[in-house]
Coordinates of all heavy atoms in Angstrom, one line a residue:
M247 N 61.3 -1.7 19.7 CA 61.1 -2.8 20.6 C 60.1 -2.3 21.7 O 60.4 -1.2 22.3 CB 62.4 -3.3 21.2 CG 62.2 -4.7 21.5 SD 63.7 -5.7 22.0 CE 65.1 -4.7 21.8
L248 N 59.2 -3.1 22.0 CA 58.2 -2.7 23.1 C 58.7 -3.1 24.5 O 59.4 -4.1 24.6 CB 56.9 -3.3 22.9 CG 56.1 -2.9 21.6 CD1 54.8 -3.8 21.4 CD2 55.7 -1.5 21.7
S249 N 58.3 -2.4 25.4 CA 58.5 -2.7 26.8 C 57.3 -3.4 27.5 O 56.1 -3.3 26.9 CB 58.8 -1.5 27.6 OG 57.7 -0.7 27.9
P250 N 57.5 -4.2 28.5 CA 56.3 -4.8 29.2 C 55.2 -3.7 29.6 O 54.1 -4.0 29.4 CB 56.9 -5.5 30.4 CG 58.3 -5.8 30.0 CD 58.7 -4.7 29.1
E251 N 55.7 -2.5 30.0 CA 54.8 -1.5 30.4 C 53.9 -1.0 29.2 O 52.7 -0.7 29.4 CB 55.5 -0.3 31.0 CG 56.2 -0.6 32.3 CD 57.6 -1.4 32.1 OE1 58.2 -1.4 31.1 OE2 57.9 -2.0 33.1
Q252 N 54.5 -1.0 28.0 CA 53.8 -0.5 26.8 C 52.8 -1.6 26.5 O 51.6 -1.2 26.1 CB 54.8 -0.3 25.7 CG 55.6 0.9 25.8 CD 56.7 1.0 24.6 OE1 57.5 0.0 24.5 NE2 56.7 2.1 24.0
V253 N 53.1 -2.9 26.6 CA 52.1 -3.9 26.3 C 51.0 -3.9 27.3 O 49.8 -4.0 27.0 CB 52.8 -5.3 26.2 CG1 51.8 -6.4 26.0 CG2 53.9 -5.3 25.1
K254 N 51.3 -3.7 28.6 CA 50.3 -3.5 29.6 C 49.4 -2.4 29.3 O 48.1 -2.6 29.4 CB 51.0 -3.3 30.9 CG 50.1 -3.1 32.1 CD 50.7 -2.8 33.4 CE 49.7 -2.6 34.5 NZ 50.3 -2.2 35.7
A255 N 49.8 -1.3 28.8 CA 49.0 -0.1 28.5 C 48.1 -0.5 27.3 O 46.9 -0.1 27.3 CB 49.8 1.1 28.1
M256 N 48.6 -1.3 26.3 CA 47.8 -1.7 25.2 C 46.7 -2.6 25.6 O 45.5 -2.5 25.2 CB 48.6 -2.5 24.2 CG 49.7 -1.6 23.4 SD 50.6 -2.9 22.3 CE 51.8 -1.7 21.7
I257 N 46.9 -3.6 26.5 CA 45.9 -4.5 27.0 C 44.8 -3.6 27.8 O 43.7 -3.9 27.6 CB 46.5 -5.5 27.9 CG1 47.5 -6.4 27.1 CG2 45.5 -6.3 28.7 CD1 48.3 -7.4 27.9
E258 N 45.3 -2.7 28.6 CA 44.3 -1.9 29.4 C 43.5 -1.0 28.5 O 42.4 -0.7 28.9 CB 45.1 -1.1 30.4 CG 45.7 -1.9 31.5 CD 46.7 -1.2 32.5 OE1 47.2 -0.2 32.1 OE2 46.8 -1.7 33.6
A259 N 44.0 -0.7 27.3 CA 43.2 0.1 26.4 C 42.1 -0.8 25.7 O 41.0 -0.3 25.3 CB 44.1 0.7 25.3
V260 N 42.3 -2.1 25.8 CA 41.3 -3.0 25.1 C 40.2 -3.4 26.0 O 39.1 -3.4 25.6 CB 42.1 -4.3 24.6 CG1 41.1 -5.4 24.2 CG2 43.0 -4.0 23.5
A261 N 40.6 -3.6 27.3 CA 39.6 -4.0 28.3 C 39.8 -3.4 29.7 O 40.9 -3.1 30.0 CB 39.6 -5.6 28.5
A262 N 38.7 -3.1 30.4 CA 38.9 -2.6 31.7 C 39.4 -3.7 32.6 O 38.8 -4.7 32.7 CB 37.5 -2.1 32.3
C263 N 40.6 -3.5 33.1 CA 41.3 -4.5 33.8 C 41.5 -4.1 35.4 O 41.8 -3.0 35.6 CB 42.6 -4.8 33.3 SG 42.6 -5.4 31.5
E264 N 41.2 -5.1 36.2 CA 41.5 -4.9 37.6 C 43.0 -5.1 37.9 O 43.4 -4.6 38.9 CB 40.6 -5.8 38.5 CG 39.2 -5.3 38.6 CD 38.3 -5.6 37.4 OE1 38.8 -6.2 36.4 OE2 37.2 -5.1 37.4
H265 N 43.6 -6.0 37.2 CA 45.0 -6.4 37.4 C 45.6 -6.8 36.1 O 45.0 -7.6 35.4 CB 45.1 -7.5 38.5 CG 46.5 -7.9 38.7 ND1 47.3 -7.2 39.6 CD2 47.1 -9.0 38.4 CE1 48.4 -7.9 39.7 NE2 48.3 -9.0 38.9
V266 N 46.9 -6.4 35.7 CA 47.6 -6.8 34.6 C 49.1 -6.9 35.0 O 49.6 -6.0 35.5 CB 47.4 -5.9 33.4 CG1 48.2 -6.4 32.2 CG2 46.0 -5.7 33.0
E267 N 49.6 -8.0 34.6 CA 51.1 -8.2 34.8 C 51.6 -8.6 33.4 O 51.0 -9.5 32.8 CB 51.4 -9.4 35.7 CG 51.0 -9.2 37.2 CD 51.2 -10.4 38.0 OE1 52.1 -11.3 37.6 OE2 50.5 -10.5 39.1
V268 N 52.7 -8.0 32.9 CA 53.3 -8.4 31.7 C 54.8 -8.6 31.9 O 55.3 -7.7 32.5 CB 53.0 -7.4 30.6 CG1 53.7 -7.7 29.3 CG2 51.5 -7.2 30.4
E269 N 55.3 -9.6 31.4 CA 56.7 -9.8 31.3 C 57.1 -10.2 29.9 O 56.3 -10.6 29.1 CB 57.1 -11.2 32.2 CG 56.8 -10.9 33.7 CD 57.2 -12.2 34.4 OE1 57.8 -13.1 33.9 OE2 56.9 -12.2 35.7
G270 N 58.3 -9.8 29.5 CA 58.7 -10.1 28.2 C 60.1 -9.5 27.9 O 60.6 -8.7 28.6
D271 N 60.6 -10.0 26.7 CA 62.0 -9.6 26.3 C 62.0 -8.5 25.2 O 63.0 -8.3 24.6 CB 62.8 -10.8 25.9 CG 62.1 -11.5 24.7 OD1 61.1 -11.0 24.1 OD2 62.6 -12.6 24.3
G272 N 60.8 -7.9 24.9 CA 60.7 -7.0 23.8 C 60.1 -7.6 22.5 O 59.6 -6.9 21.6
H273 N 60.2 -8.9 22.5 CA 59.5 -9.6 21.3 C 58.5 -10.6 21.7 O 57.4 -10.6 21.1 CB 60.6 -10.4 20.6 CG 61.7 -9.5 20.0 ND1 61.5 -8.8 18.9 CD2 62.9 -9.4 20.3 CE1 62.6 -8.1 18.5 NE2 63.5 -8.5 19.4
H274 N 58.7 -11.3 22.8 CA 57.7 -12.3 23.3 C 57.2 -11.9 24.6 O 58.1 -11.6 25.5 CB 58.4 -13.7 23.3 CG 58.8 -14.2 22.0 ND1 60.1 -14.0 21.5 CD2 58.1 -14.9 21.1 CE1 60.1 -14.5 20.3 NE2 59.0 -15.1 20.0
F275 N 55.9 -11.7 24.8 CA 55.4 -11.3 26.1 C 54.4 -12.3 26.6 O 53.7 -13.1 25.9 CB 54.6 -9.9 25.8 CG 55.5 -8.9 25.5 CD1 55.8 -8.6 24.2 CD2 56.2 -8.1 26.5 CE1 56.6 -7.5 23.8 CE2 57.1 -7.1 26.1 CZ 57.3 -6.8 24.7
F276 N 54.3 -12.3 28.0 CA 53.4 -13.2 28.7 C 52.6 -12.3 29.6 O 53.1 -11.5 30.4 CB 54.2 -14.2 29.6 CG 55.1 -15.0 28.7 CD1 56.4 -14.6 28.4 CD2 54.7 -16.2 28.1 CE1 57.2 -15.4 27.5 CE2 55.5 -17.0 27.3 CZ 56.8 -16.6 27.0
A277 N 51.3 -12.5 29.7 CA 50.4 -11.6 30.4 C 49.5 -12.4 31.4 O 49.0 -13.5 31.0 CB 49.6 -10.8 29.5
V278 N 49.3 -11.8 32.5 CA 48.2 -12.2 33.4 C 47.2 -11.1 33.5 O 47.6 -10.0 33.7 CB 48.9 -12.4 34.9 CG1 47.8 -12.7 35.9 CG2 49.8 -13.6 34.9
I279 N 46.0 -11.4 33.1 CA 45.0 -10.4 32.9 C 43.8 -10.7 33.8 O 43.2 -11.8 33.7 CB 44.5 -10.2 31.5 CG1 45.8 -10.0 30.6 CG2 43.5 -9.1 31.3 CD1 45.5 -10.1 29.1
V280 N 43.3 -9.8 34.7 CA 42.2 -10.0 35.5 C 41.2 -8.9 35.1 O 41.5 -7.7 35.2 CB 42.6 -9.9 37.0 CG1 41.3 -10.0 37.8 CG2 43.6 -10.9 37.4
S281 N 40.0 -9.2 34.6 CA 39.1 -8.3 34.1 C 37.6 -8.7 34.4 O 37.3 -9.9 34.2 CB 39.2 -8.1 32.7 OG 38.2 -7.2 32.2
S282 N 36.8 -7.9 34.9 CA 35.4 -8.2 35.1 C 34.8 -8.4 33.7 O 33.7 -9.0 33.6 CB 34.7 -7.1 35.9 OG 34.9 -5.9 35.4
E283 N 35.4 -8.0 32.6 CA 34.8 -8.1 31.3 C 34.8 -9.6 30.9 O 34.2 -10.0 29.9 CB 35.5 -7.3 30.2 CG 35.3 -5.8 30.5 CD 35.8 -5.0 29.3 OE1 35.8 -5.4 28.2 OE2 36.2 -3.8 29.6
F284 N 35.5 -10.4 31.7 CA 35.7 -11.9 31.4 C 34.5 -12.7 32.0 O 34.3 -13.9 31.6 CB 37.0 -12.5 31.9 CG 38.2 -12.0 31.2 CD1 39.4 -12.0 31.9 CD2 38.2 -11.5 29.9 CE1 40.5 -11.5 31.3 CE2 39.3 -11.0 29.3 CZ 40.5 -11.0 30.0
E285 N 33.6 -12.0 32.8 CA 32.5 -12.7 33.4 C 31.6 -13.3 32.4 O 31.3 -12.7 31.4 CB 31.7 -11.7 34.2 CG 32.3 -11.1 35.5 CD 32.6 -12.0 36.6 OE1 31.9 -13.1 36.6 OE2 33.3 -11.7 37.5
G286 N 31.3 -14.6 32.6 CA 30.4 -15.3 31.7 C 31.0 -15.8 30.4 O 30.3 -16.3 29.6
K287 N 32.3 -15.5 30.1 CA 33.0 -15.9 29.0 C 33.8 -17.1 29.2 O 34.5 -17.2 30.2 CB 33.8 -14.8 28.4 CG 33.1 -13.5 27.9 CD 34.0 -12.5 27.3 CE 33.3 -11.4 26.6 NZ 32.3 -10.7 27.3
A288 N 33.9 -18.0 28.2 CA 34.7 -19.2 28.2 C 36.2 -18.7 28.0 O 36.5 -17.6 27.5 CB 34.4 -20.2 27.1
R289 N 37.1 -19.6 28.4 CA 38.6 -19.3 28.3 C 39.0 -18.7 26.9 O 39.6 -17.7 26.8 CB 39.4 -20.5 28.6 CG 40.9 -20.2 28.6 CD 41.6 -21.5 29.1 NE 43.0 -21.2 29.2 CZ 43.9 -21.7 28.4 NH1 43.5 -22.4 27.3 NH2 45.2 -21.4 28.6
L290 N 38.5 -19.4 25.8 CA 38.8 -19.0 24.4 C 38.3 -17.5 24.1 O 38.9 -16.8 23.5 CB 38.3 -20.0 23.4 CG 38.7 -19.7 21.9 CD1 40.1 -19.6 21.8 CD2 38.0 -20.8 21.1
A291 N 37.0 -17.3 24.6 CA 36.4 -16.0 24.4 C 37.2 -14.9 25.1 O 37.3 -13.8 24.6 CB 35.0 -16.0 24.7
R292 N 37.7 -15.2 26.3 CA 38.5 -14.2 27.0 C 39.8 -13.9 26.2 O 40.1 -12.7 26.1 CB 38.9 -14.7 28.3 CG 37.6 -15.0 29.2 CD 38.1 -15.7 30.5 NE 36.9 -16.0 31.4 CZ 36.9 -16.4 32.6 NH1 38.1 -16.5 33.2 NH2 35.8 -16.6 33.2
H293 N 40.4 -14.9 25.7 CA 41.7 -14.7 24.9 C 41.4 -13.9 23.7 O 42.1 -13.0 23.3 CB 42.3 -16.0 24.6 CG 43.0 -16.6 25.8 ND1 44.3 -17.0 25.8 CD2 42.5 -17.0 27.0 CE1 44.6 -17.5 27.0 NE2 43.6 -17.5 27.7
R294 N 40.2 -14.3 23.0 CA 39.8 -13.5 21.8 C 39.6 -12.1 22.1 O 39.9 -11.2 21.2 CB 38.6 -14.2 21.1 CG 38.9 -15.3 20.3 CD 37.8 -15.6 19.3 NE 38.0 -16.8 18.6 CZ 37.3 -17.9 18.7 NH1 36.1 -17.9 19.3 NH2 37.7 -19.0 18.0
L295 N 39.0 -11.8 23.2 CA 38.6 -10.4 23.5 C 39.9 -9.5 23.5 O 39.9 -8.4 22.9 CB 38.0 -10.3 24.9 CG 37.7 -8.9 25.5 CD1 36.6 -8.2 24.7 CD2 37.4 -9.0 26.9
I296 N 40.9 -10.1 24.1 CA 42.2 -9.3 24.1 C 42.9 -9.3 22.8 O 43.4 -8.3 22.3 CB 43.1 -9.9 25.2 CG1 42.4 -9.8 26.6 CG2 44.5 -9.2 25.2 CD1 42.1 -8.5 27.1
K297 N 43.1 -10.5 22.2 CA 43.8 -10.7 20.9 C 43.1 -9.9 19.8 O 43.8 -9.2 19.0 CB 44.0 -12.1 20.6 CG 44.8 -12.9 21.5 CD 46.3 -12.8 21.2 CE 47.1 -13.6 22.1 NZ 47.7 -14.8 21.5
D298 N 41.8 -9.9 19.8 CA 41.1 -9.1 18.7 C 41.3 -7.6 18.9 O 41.4 -6.9 17.9 CB 39.5 -9.4 18.7 CG 39.2 -10.8 18.1 OD1 40.1 -11.4 17.6 OD2 38.1 -11.1 18.2
G299 N 41.4 -7.2 20.1 CA 41.6 -5.8 20.4 C 43.0 -5.3 20.0 O 43.3 -4.1 19.8
L300 N 43.9 -6.3 20.0 CA 45.3 -6.0 19.6 C 45.7 -6.5 18.3 O 46.8 -6.5 17.8 CB 46.3 -6.7 20.7 CG 46.1 -6.2 22.1 CD1 47.0 -7.1 23.0 CD2 46.5 -4.8 22.3
K301 N 44.7 -6.8 17.4 CA 44.9 -7.4 16.1 C 45.8 -6.6 15.2 O 46.7 -7.1 14.6 CB 43.5 -7.6 15.4 CG 43.5 -8.4 14.2 CD 42.2 -8.5 13.5 CE 41.3 -9.4 14.5 NZ 40.0 -9.7 13.8
E302 N 45.6 -5.2 15.2 CA 46.4 -4.4 14.3 C 47.9 -4.4 14.8 O 48.8 -4.5 13.9 CB 45.9 -3.0 14.4 CG 44.6 -2.8 13.6 CD 44.1 -1.4 13.5 OE1 45.0 -0.5 13.8 OE2 43.0 -1.1 13.4
K303 N 48.1 -4.4 16.1 CA 49.4 -4.4 16.6 C 50.1 -5.8 16.3 O 51.4 -5.8 16.0 CB 49.5 -4.2 18.2 CG 48.8 -3.0 18.6 CD 49.6 -1.7 18.4 CE 49.0 -0.5 18.9 NZ 49.6 0.8 18.5
L304 N 49.3 -6.8 16.4 CA 49.9 -8.2 16.1 C 50.2 -8.3 14.6 O 51.2 -8.8 14.2 CB 49.0 -9.3 16.6 CG 49.0 -9.4 18.2 CD1 47.7 -10.2 18.6 CD2 50.2 -10.0 18.7
A305 N 49.2 -7.9 13.8 CA 49.4 -8.0 12.3 C 50.6 -7.2 11.8 O 51.2 -7.6 10.8 CB 48.1 -7.6 11.7
S306 N 50.8 -6.0 12.4 CA 51.9 -5.2 11.9 C 53.2 -5.6 12.4 O 54.2 -5.1 12.0 CB 51.6 -3.7 12.3 OG 51.8 -3.6 13.7
N307 N 53.2 -6.6 13.3 CA 54.3 -7.2 14.0 C 55.0 -6.2 15.0 O 56.1 -6.4 15.4 CB 55.4 -7.7 13.0 CG 56.1 -8.9 13.5 OD1 55.6 -9.6 14.3 ND2 57.3 -9.1 12.9
E308 N 54.3 -5.1 15.3 CA 54.7 -4.2 16.3 C 54.7 -4.9 17.7 O 55.7 -4.8 18.4 CB 53.8 -2.9 16.4 CG 54.2 -2.0 17.5 CD 53.2 -0.8 17.6 OE1 52.4 -0.6 16.8 OE2 53.4 -0.1 18.6
L309 N 53.7 -5.7 17.8 CA 53.6 -6.7 18.9 C 53.8 -8.0 18.4 O 53.0 -8.6 17.7 CB 52.3 -6.5 19.7 CG 52.1 -7.5 20.9 CD1 53.1 -7.4 21.9 CD2 50.7 -7.2 21.4
H310 N 55.0 -8.6 18.5 CA 55.3 -9.9 17.9 C 54.6 -11.1 18.4 O 54.0 -11.8 17.6 CB 56.9 -10.1 18.0 CG 57.3 -11.4 17.3 ND1 57.2 -11.6 16.0 CD2 57.7 -12.5 17.9 CE1 57.7 -12.8 15.7 NE2 58.0 -13.4 16.8
A311 N 54.6 -11.3 19.7 CA 54.0 -12.4 20.3 C 53.5 -12.2 21.7 O 54.2 -11.6 22.5 CB 54.9 -13.7 20.3
L312 N 52.2 -12.5 22.0 CA 51.6 -12.3 23.3 C 51.0 -13.7 23.6 O 50.0 -14.1 23.0 CB 50.6 -11.2 23.2 CG 49.8 -11.0 24.6 CD1 50.7 -10.6 25.7 CD2 48.7 -10.1 24.4
S313 N 51.5 -14.2 24.8 CA 50.9 -15.4 25.4 C 50.1 -14.9 26.6 O 50.6 -14.3 27.6 CB 51.9 -16.3 25.7 OG 51.4 -17.5 26.4
I314 N 48.8 -15.2 26.7 CA 48.0 -14.9 27.9 C 48.0 -16.1 28.8 O 47.5 -17.2 28.5 CB 46.6 -14.5 27.5 CG1 46.6 -13.4 26.5 CG2 45.8 -14.3 28.7 CD1 45.3 -13.0 25.9
S315 N 48.8 -16.0 29.9 CA 49.0 -17.1 30.8 C 47.8 -17.2 31.7 O 47.4 -18.4 32.0 CB 50.2 -16.8 31.8 OG 51.3 -16.5 31.0
V316 N 47.2 -16.2 32.1 CA 46.0 -16.2 32.9 C 45.1 -15.1 32.4 O 45.4 -13.9 32.2 CB 46.3 -15.9 34.4 CG1 45.0 -15.8 35.2 CG2 47.2 -16.9 35.0
A317 N 43.7 -15.5 32.2 CA 42.7 -14.6 31.9 C 41.5 -14.8 32.8 O 40.8 -15.8 32.6 CB 42.2 -14.7 30.4
A318 N 41.5 -14.2 33.9 CA 40.6 -14.5 35.0 C 39.7 -13.4 35.4 O 40.0 -12.2 35.1 CB 41.4 -14.9 36.2
T319 N 38.6 -13.7 36.0 CA 37.7 -12.7 36.6 C 38.2 -12.3 37.9 O 39.1 -13.1 38.5 CB 36.2 -13.2 36.7 OG1 36.3 -14.2 37.7 CG2 35.6 -13.7 35.4
P320 N 37.8 -11.2 38.5 CA 38.3 -10.9 39.8 C 38.1 -11.9 40.8 O 39.0 -12.2 41.7 CB 37.6 -9.6 40.1 CG 37.3 -8.9 38.8 CD 37.1 -10.1 37.9
A321 N 36.9 -12.6 40.8 CA 36.6 -13.6 41.8 C 37.6 -14.8 41.6 O 38.1 -15.4 42.5 CB 35.1 -14.0 41.6
E322 N 37.8 -15.2 40.3 CA 38.7 -16.4 40.1 C 40.1 -16.0 40.5 O 40.8 -16.9 41.1 CB 38.7 -16.7 38.5 CG 37.4 -17.3 38.1 CD 37.3 -17.3 36.6 OE1 38.0 -16.6 35.8 OE2 36.4 -18.0 36.0
W323 N 40.5 -14.8 40.3 CA 41.9 -14.4 40.7 C 42.0 -14.4 42.2 O 43.0 -14.9 42.7 CB 42.2 -13.0 40.1 CG 43.6 -12.6 40.4 CD1 43.9 -11.4 41.2 CD2 44.8 -13.0 39.9 NE1 45.2 -11.3 41.3 CE2 45.8 -12.3 40.4 CE3 45.1 -14.1 39.1 CZ2 47.1 -12.4 40.1 CZ3 46.5 -14.3 38.8 CH2 47.5 -13.4 39.3
A324 N 41.0 -13.9 42.8 CA 41.0 -13.9 44.3 C 41.1 -15.3 44.9 O 41.9 -15.5 45.8 CB 39.8 -13.1 44.8
A325 N 40.4 -16.3 44.3 CA 40.4 -17.6 44.7 C 41.8 -18.2 44.5 O 42.3 -19.0 45.4 CB 39.3 -18.4 44.0
K326 N 42.5 -17.9 43.4 CA 43.8 -18.4 43.2 C 44.8 -17.9 44.1 O 45.8 -18.5 44.4 CB 44.3 -18.0 41.7 CG 43.6 -18.9 40.7 CD 44.1 -18.5 39.3 CE 43.4 -19.3 38.3 NZ 44.0 -19.1 36.9
Q327 N 44.6 -16.6 44.6 CA 45.6 -16.0 45.5 C 45.4 -16.5 47.0 O 46.3 -16.3 47.7 CB 45.4 -14.5 45.5 CG 45.6 -13.9 44.1 CD 46.8 -14.3 43.4 OE1 47.9 -14.1 44.0 NE2 46.7 -14.9 42.2
A328 N 44.3 -17.1 47.3 CA 44.0 -17.5 48.7 C 44.8 -18.8 49.0 O 45.2 -19.5 48.2 CB 42.5 -17.7 48.8

């Protein structure tokens, strides 16, 4: 069973992230991801960037389910925090 910290490390290995939060119960995880790599990408493309990078983990069921709650650029994230 994976820990939220392990899933966070997997996400950080896929994209350079300024901020990542992961919560989960070992099977289902929810992530908040802030990355400058999302600049100029639509919401679906941002999710695909992460999910494609984790495709093997998801296909093998090592990572059962990942829901990306937020996929924001640093500027978008800063605006949400204000």
Side-chain angles (χ1 to χ4, degrees):
M247 206 172 354
L248 294 173
S249 70
E251 293 79 20
Q252 289 171 306
V253 176
K254 179 181 177 187
M256 288 178 190
I257 292 168
E258 291 172 334
V260 170
C263 301
E264 282 78 4
H265 178 81
V266 180
E267 296 173 22
V268 177
E269 295 181 5
D271 62 5
H273 297 287
H274 300 89
F275 294 93
F276 302 88
V278 171
I279 306 168
V280 179
S281 174
S282 54
E283 291 189 35
F284 295 153
E285 295 286 348
K287 290 183 171 54
R289 183 173 185 256
L290 184 59
R292 295 173 184 196
H293 286 237
R294 273 200 189 123
L295 174 73
I296 301 301
K297 295 273 181 114
D298 285 353
L300 298 174
K301 191 180 290 187
E302 287 182 23
K303 304 283 187 193
L304 289 161
S306 71
N307 217 20
E308 179 181 348
L309 176 57
H310 179 68
L312 174 66
S313 176
I314 301 172
S315 307
V316 176
T319 66
E322 292 166 345
W323 182 248
K326 285 183 182 186
Q327 303 307 304

